[in-house]
């Protein structure tokens, strides 16, 4: 009989834009015993998680809960529940994840329009607002932090314009939530989708979302109750809702999901118990550190990393005015095999960094400084290793300068403490 060895994954230094290293306390939380999903002890943990998510999203919204699935499940839940076939949806695209929003909106039957910015920069908010005024879509969907290009789109003015024009603004904040400010209420964002495996440093598998009563009103108009849960006399009767109106997904139906997360606890899916423990612990750690301190730690790691890279003599990719603070992109020097550099980092130093997609495939490396991975030790380690590997690949770098420049940033600034 074939046998298999014990599971023993290597301890890596993960410096990608996700998944990133997970705080040991979160891993421990995942090993606790299972509770039933309607056990008051467990529903108590669900309620605390919702409360902590409201702090994370900086919102007074009633609804803030995780969707079970990877980050795109949150995106899909919001778009599927909002978009009726024929609805007009506008997507300003400045990287790969903008295309994901477009694709999902198209699958929902939306009439999608888009404008695209050259990768490596973002929109002047006025450009987006001009389009909104002219075309008056029902929904606008945008990415806050584009992990594919390392750029971040300012959203406040766009949010204000959308509110004034009565357009629903839906934002993918998967990469930014927990690493750099995302002000749901202040920026007038109607729905925000986050991720766990990036700056929250929780494994992939849940997608925290929040949405306001403007979104809820539309979702409730499309509400349908599962046949078996209706009055038995009505269970066999055909559904009376017009076909176009009904939310096409059961799993991603926000009307049902919010009933499940409400005090009514109407049965829907089985909550992913261990993942909920992990998210609750990740959020507890985040609030214990404090949002401001956490953002400062991410900024400091970014400053140390970028100072180190530039001191080595390497340029950064993208417009610095809109740089995403949690992802740093570096053009692969001419004549260098970017994948060979990444392999050597992994094999000899146990460090993982990322390549990119689409038009940037093989052209840039992406280094994440996110969540539990955003630590001084990791930043210094990646800089030292990158220098050694680049020298092996025949790139002339200023020897020793990278780590020294990063050390200067940590020495001169007040070191943001962690854990
Ligand atoms: C990572 C990421 C996603 C997709 O997340 P999954 O967890 O892989 O589904 C979506 N949007 C952005 C901006 C991301 O960085």
């Amino acid at each position: 009989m074939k046998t298999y060895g014990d599971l023993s994954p290597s301890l890596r230094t993960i410096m990608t834009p996700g998944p990133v290293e997970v705080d040991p306390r979160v891993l421990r939380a995942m090993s606790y015993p299972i509770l039933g999903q309607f056990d008051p002890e467990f529903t108590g943990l669900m309620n605390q998680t919702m409360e902590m998510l409201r702090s994370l999203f900086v919102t007074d919204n009633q609804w803030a809960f995780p969707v079970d699935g990877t980050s795109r499940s949150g995106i899909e839940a919001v778009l599927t529940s909002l978009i009726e076939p024929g609805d007009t949806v506008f997507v300003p695209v400045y990287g790969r994840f903008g295309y994901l929003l477009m694709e999902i909106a198209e699958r929902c039957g939306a009439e999608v329009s888009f404008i695209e910015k050259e990768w490596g920069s973002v929109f002047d908010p006025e450009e987006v607002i001009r389009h909104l005024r002219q075309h008056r879509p029902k929904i606008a969907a945008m990415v806050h932090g584009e992990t594919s290009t390392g750029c971040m789109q300012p959203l406040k003015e766009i949010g204000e314009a959308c509110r004034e024009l009565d357009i629903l603004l839906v934002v993918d904040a998967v990469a930014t939530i927990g690493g750099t400010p995302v002000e749901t209420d202040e920026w007038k964002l109607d729905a925000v989708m986050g991720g766990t495996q990036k700056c929250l440093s929780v494994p992939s598998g849940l997608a925290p979302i929040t949405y306001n009563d403007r979104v809820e009103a539309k979702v409730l108009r499309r509400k349908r109750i599962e046949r078996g849960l209706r009055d038995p006399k009505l269970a066999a009767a055909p559904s009376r809702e017009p076909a176009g109106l009904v939310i096409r997904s059961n799993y991603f139906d926000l009307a049902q999901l919010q009933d499940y997360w409400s005090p009514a606890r109407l049965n829907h899916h089985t909550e992913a118990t261990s993942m909920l423990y992990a998210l609750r612990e990740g959020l507890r750690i985040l609030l214990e550190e404090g949002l401001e301190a956490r953002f400062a730690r991410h900024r400091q790691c970014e400053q140390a990393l970028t100072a180190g890279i530039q001191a080595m003599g390497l340029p950064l990719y993208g417009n610095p005015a809109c740089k995403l603070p949690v992802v740093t992109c570096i053009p692969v020097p001419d004549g260098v095999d970017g994948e060979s550099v990444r392999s050597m980092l992994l094999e000899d130093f146990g460090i993982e960094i990322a390549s990119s997609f689409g038009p940037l495939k093989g052209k840039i490396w992406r280094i994440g400084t996110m969540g539990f991975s955003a630590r001084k030790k990791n930043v210094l380690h990646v800089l030292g290793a990158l220098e050694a590997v680049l020298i092996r690949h025949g790139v002339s770098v200023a020897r020793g300068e990278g780590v020294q420049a990063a050390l200067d940033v940590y020495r001169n600034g007040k070191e943001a403490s962690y854990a």
Side-chain angles (χ1 to χ4, degrees):
M1 197 184 76
K2 187 169 178 187
T3 59
Y4 298 87
D6 277 353
L7 181 65
S8 60
S10 301
L11 252 185
R12 303 283 199 215
T13 298
I14 309 182
M15 300 303 278
T16 64
V20 304
E21 294 172 37
V22 172
D23 190 305
R25 291 172 288 180
V26 172
L27 294 175
R28 185 179 61 193
M30 298 180 78
S31 68
Y32 289 144
I34 299 302
L35 288 167
Q37 62 174 340
F38 297 115
D39 183 326
E41 200 176 314
F42 189 69
T43 54
L45 296 176
M46 289 170 73
N47 289 345
Q48 289 174 357
T49 304
M50 288 208 287
E51 233 171 72
M52 291 193 277
L53 283 176
R54 285 185 205 107
S55 304
L56 172 69
F57 284 113
V58 201
T59 183
D60 292 329
N61 286 345
Q62 178 182 7
W63 299 117
F65 55 80
V67 176
D68 291 31
T70 72
S71 317
R72 75 186 59 207
S73 74
I75 300 174
E76 196 140 359
V78 168
L79 292 180
T80 304
S81 297
L82 267 185
I83 299 172
E84 288 169 50
D87 275 354
T88 46
V89 176
F90 172 53
V91 188
V93 176
Y94 60 100
R96 181 236 163 133
F97 289 106
Y99 280 110
L100 177 66
L101 292 173
M102 265 175 70
E103 196 216 288
I104 297 175
E106 274 166 5
R107 284 176 190 253
C108 296
E111 269 181 44
V112 178
S113 62
F114 76 108
I115 50 177
E116 183 164 14
K117 199 78 190 169
E118 195 187 333
W119 289 27
S121 61
V122 300
F123 293 94
D124 175 350
E126 272 310 316
E127 268 177 279
V128 175
I129 294 168
R130 214 177 308 126
H131 186 103
L132 292 171
R133 285 194 198 289
Q134 237 168 39
H135 300 278
R136 301 283 183 125
K138 282 198 174 164
I139 296 163
M142 280 204 89
V143 175
H144 183 217
E146 257 296 350
T147 15
S148 61
T149 63
C151 291
M152 183 164 74
Q153 173 69 50
L155 291 172
K156 189 169 192 293
E157 288 147 291
I158 297 172
E160 278 162 3
C162 283
R163 192 61 55 92
E164 184 200 316
L165 297 166
D166 197 23
I167 294 164
L168 291 173
L169 178 57
V170 173
V171 170
D172 169 351
V174 172
T176 45
I177 200 80
T180 184
V182 176
E183 299 274 346
T184 305
D185 291 359
E186 172 76 16
W187 299 348
K188 300 192 164 55
L189 314 179
D190 293 296
V192 183
M193 298 81 76
T196 52
Q197 80 273 34
K198 307 204 177 177
C199 298
L200 293 189
S201 262
V202 167
S204 181
L206 288 180
I209 61 169
T210 187
Y211 52 91
N212 61 18
D213 45 10
R214 284 156 47 89
V215 170
E216 186 184 9
K218 176 140 192 199
V219 167
L220 290 182
R221 281 204 304 279
R222 308 184 66 204
K223 182 169 179 163
R224 172 174 183 170
I225 299 168
E226 256 182 74
R227 271 165 201 261
L229 297 177
R230 293 194 226 173
D231 182 334
K233 289 195 291 295
L234 294 176
S239 157
R240 283 188 309 263
E241 298 91 344
L245 193 66
V246 170
I247 296 169
R248 286 309 173 96
S249 169
N250 170 295
Y251 194 73
F252 290 138
D253 179 344
L254 288 184
Q256 293 196 35
L257 286 172
Q258 71 176 45
D259 279 346
Y260 176 74
W261 281 86
S262 79
R265 303 269 168 220
L266 291 190
N267 191 26
H268 184 251
H269 62 290
T270 309
E271 189 49 27
T273 321
S274 306
M275 278 307 301
L276 197 277
Y277 293 162
L279 177 60
R280 183 194 176 279
E281 182 65 1
L283 292 168
R284 189 192 68 76
I285 292 169
L286 174 139
L287 295 176
E288 180 185 78
E289 183 180 13
L291 281 174
E292 284 314 315
R294 195 174 178 95
F295 300 152
R297 171 165 60 84
H298 281 84
R299 277 197 304 275
Q300 188 178 47
C301 284
E302 180 207 26
Q303 276 164 20
L305 178 66
T306 53
I309 288 173
Q310 289 173 307
M312 252 189 254
L314 299 172
L316 299 176
Y317 168 83
N319 179 355
C322 59
K323 187 180 173 303
L324 174 60
V326 296
V327 181
T328 297
C329 301
I330 309 164
V332 176
D334 282 342
V336 172
D337 176 352
E339 286 309 288
S340 164
V341 168
R342 288 201 325 119
S343 306
M344 191 173 167
L345 281 171
L346 190 67
E347 282 160 24
D348 291 315
F349 294 87
I351 298 175
E352 188 185 3
I353 67 166
S355 55
S356 196
F357 325 96
L360 292 175
K361 192 168 163 41
K363 300 227 168 74
I364 61 169
W365 292 302
R366 298 177 304 143
I367 302 181
T369 38
M370 294 178 152
F372 189 64
S373 287
R375 305 198 313 283
K376 179 164 103 179
K377 162 181 163 294
N378 280 15
V379 170
L380 296 176
H381 189 42
V382 77
L383 284 169
L386 186 63
E387 178 189 311
V389 172
L390 288 176
I391 290 170
R392 284 275 157 172
H393 282 77
V395 181
S396 73
V397 293
R399 296 187 182 212
E401 297 297 326
V403 174
Q404 293 302 322
L407 275 174
D408 287 343
V409 170
Y410 286 112
R411 292 276 148 82
N412 297 339
K414 190 169 120 306
E415 193 183 322
S417 65
Y418 184 59

